[in-house]
Every structure is written in C-alpha cells, then in structure tokens.
C-alpha cells in the first residue's frame, strides 16, 4: 500500500520536476553560458532580459 | 502530463517571446545601439563638451535582430516550462489555474527572475563597468532561487514563521550585496544606463504578465480536455 502511494506520488511529481529542469536548462544555455558563439547570438536578449552578460 | 506541460509552455512561451522581442526592438534596442556607440568609442561622453543625444543609429539588422527574436522565444519557452511546471504542481495541491490567476503567477515570475536581481544588479547597458561574470551569475541565481522560495512561502505558507522566513529570504541577497566594480570606468552616460534599465524592466513586466496569462489559459485548456 505504502509502495503504491509512493509510486503514485512519484509519477505525479516527476513530469513537473522534469519540465522545470528542462526549462532551467534552456534558460541557462540561452542566458548564461559564455561560449562566444552563444554569447554573441544571444547578446541583445541577454542585456534586455537583465542577465549578467559580459 | 509531461506533454501537457510542454504544450502549454511552448505555446505561451513562444507567443510571449515574439512579443517581448517586438517590444525590445521598439523600446530597448535603440537605447542599446546608442550605448554601443559609447562602448566602441564612436561617441565620447566626458571631456568632449556636449554630445549629441540623438545620433543616427543602425537600422534593422536581419541577422542580429533575427537571432534576438529566436533567443527571446527560446528564453521565454524556458521560463514558460518553469512557470507551467510550478502552476501544475500547485494545481495538484488544489490551486485553481486560469488565465486570470496565471497573471499573478506571471507577475510573481517577473519579481523572482527579473525584478529581484535587478534591485541590486540593474539590467546592464553595454559599455558599463562590471566585475567578473561568474560572480555576477552566481549572485543572480542565488537571488532568483531565494526570491522564488520566498514568494512560494508567502503564497502558500500558513504559519507566521514562514512569512518571517520569506522576508529574510527576500532581503538576504541585497543585504549580502551583489558583486559591484571597485572603480567606475564605463563610458556610457548615466541617462542612457538608467533608461536602459527601466525599459528592460518595463518590457520584462509586460512579457511576464503575458506569459503568466497565456500559461494559465493554455494549462486550463490542456487539463480540461482530459
């Protein structure tokens, strides 16, 4: 019974956690990673969105 | 469930990213391009008499502004995923998610990811004086996490100790202080830097309000179908 409840809880939370990790990953790559090609491409958006840029 | 989150976030984030980019082109880009003239030395602010405040600025650049559009959409899809995931999780615990309540979520997102870091680390105009990027990024993430947790405590906390913890978390990053340079060497006029920061915050608020509203709308629609 406990195992069933735990499985149910896990499968309920997992998609939300996965989506949050995916979202934070996208924000990190687009907004924070300093590789120069990425930095140059995202430059104006990074400034406008208030990320530390240079 | 995961596909519903992704669908809602993609629709809300992509629309918001496009509109945020358009607002950026109209309100922020002219200030940014103007500041860059000082950054590269085309215009000089001090010791040169008065400088023309309305120079000719470069027009629409297909490559540069196209990438801005793309990355704006990408970043707001990322924010959308975080926001929809948080909304969906709250819905599991009984919160009502609609376009109307989504607006509050969006404004909370703006406060956590845009406004709180800006209180001590204003949106940076190109050509300002800034310290090491890594230190600023660490402070930025710390502030975002502390503020997001604080807002969740205020929204869902019941005990007074939770509200007290929230206030401490809201204040802590600013009491600790953001990394600032030891000397000011930036060549950009303060008028431009101030306008840039306020415009960036204004566009950010508009974008987050829209993101929250759309995310709430799409999430309600996605979950109503099942």
């Amino acid at each position: 019974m406990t195992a069933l409840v735990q499985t149910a809880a896990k499968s309920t939370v997992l998609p939300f956690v996965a989506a949050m990790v995916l979202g934070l990953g996208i924000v990190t790559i687009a907004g924070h990673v300093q590789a120069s090609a990425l930095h140059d491409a995202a430059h104006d958006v990074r400034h406008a969105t208030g990320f530390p840029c240079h | 469930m995961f596909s519903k989150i992704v669908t809602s976030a993609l629709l809300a984030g992509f629309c918001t990213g496009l509109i945020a980019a358009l607002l950026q082109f109209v309100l922020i880009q002219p200030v940014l391009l103007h500041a860059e003239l000082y950054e590269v030395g085309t215009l000089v602010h001090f010791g040169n008499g008065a400088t023309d405040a309305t120079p000719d600025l470069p027009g629409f650049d297909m490559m540069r502004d196209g990438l801005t559009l793309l990355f704006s959409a990408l970043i707001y899809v990322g924010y959308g995923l975080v926001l929809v995931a948080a909304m969906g999780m709250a819905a599991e615990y009984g919160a009502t998610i609609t376009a109307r309540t989504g607006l509050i979520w969006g404004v909370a997102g703006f406060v956590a990811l845009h406004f709180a870091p800006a209180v001590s680390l204003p949106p940076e105009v190109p050509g300002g004086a800034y310290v090491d990027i890594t230190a600023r990024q660490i402070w930025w993430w710390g502030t975002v996490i502390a503020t997001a947790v604080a807002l969740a405590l205020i929204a869902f906390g019941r005990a007074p100790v939770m509200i007290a913890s929230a206030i401490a978390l809201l204040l802590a990053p600013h009491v600790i202080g953001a990394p600032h340079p030891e000397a000011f060497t930036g060549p950009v006029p303060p008028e431009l830097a101030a306008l840039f920061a306020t415009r960036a915050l204004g566009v950010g608020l508009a974008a987050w309000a829209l993101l929250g509203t759309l995310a709430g709308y799409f999430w309600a629609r996605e979950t109503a179908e099942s």
Side-chain angles (χ1 to χ4, degrees), chain B residues 31 125 189-199:
Chain B
V31 188
V125 74
E191 292 88 339
L192 275 183
L195 185 61
F196 184 86
T198 47
R199 287 260 168 105

Side-chain angles (χ1 to χ4, degrees), chain B residues 19-223:
Chain B
I19 290 172
L22 294 178
L23 286 172
Q24 178 176 341
F25 292 146
V26 176
L27 293 170
I28 300 176
Q29 205 68 7
V31 188
L32 191 149
L33 293 171
H34 193 168
E36 281 186 345
L37 295 178
Y38 289 94
E39 186 184 25
V40 299
T42 308
L43 293 178
V44 180
H45 180 42
F46 293 110
N48 194 34
T51 313
D52 181 16
T54 54
D56 287 332
L57 299 173
F60 189 82
D61 180 329
M62 202 60 182
M63 182 70 176
R64 179 175 183 170
D65 294 330
L67 283 168
T68 293
L69 202 69
L70 187 73
F71 273 89
S72 181
L74 200 59
I75 283 177
Y76 279 100
V77 166
Y79 283 159
L81 281 165
V82 176
L83 193 63
V84 173
M87 283 172 159
M89 202 120 70
E92 294 284 320
Y93 290 95
T96 310
I97 303 298
T98 61
R100 248 169 215 280
T101 57
L103 176 61
I104 301 170
W105 282 84
V107 173
F110 167 74
V111 171
L113 281 126
H114 223 124
F115 186 71
V119 168
S120 288
L121 211 58
E124 299 165 356
V125 74
Y130 306 112
V131 291
D132 175 50
I133 177 82
T134 310
R136 273 152 50 229
Q137 287 180 334
I138 291 169
W139 186 90
W140 190 94
W141 278 110
T143 305
V144 165
I145 292 165
T147 309
V149 171
L151 293 180
L153 286 172
I154 290 170
F156 302 110
R158 294 286 171 267
V161 66
M162 288 189 174
I163 306 297
S165 313
I167 294 170
L169 278 171
L170 285 174
L171 285 173
H174 308 287
V175 173
I176 292 166
H180 282 295
E182 288 179 5
F184 295 130
T185 55
V188 177
E191 292 88 339
L192 275 183
L195 185 61
F196 184 86
T198 47
R199 287 260 168 105
L201 287 174
V203 169
L205 177 57
W208 272 100
L210 184 66
L211 181 68
T213 306
L214 290 177
Y217 171 78
F218 287 121
W219 179 252
R221 205 186 60 164
E222 285 291 316
T223 46

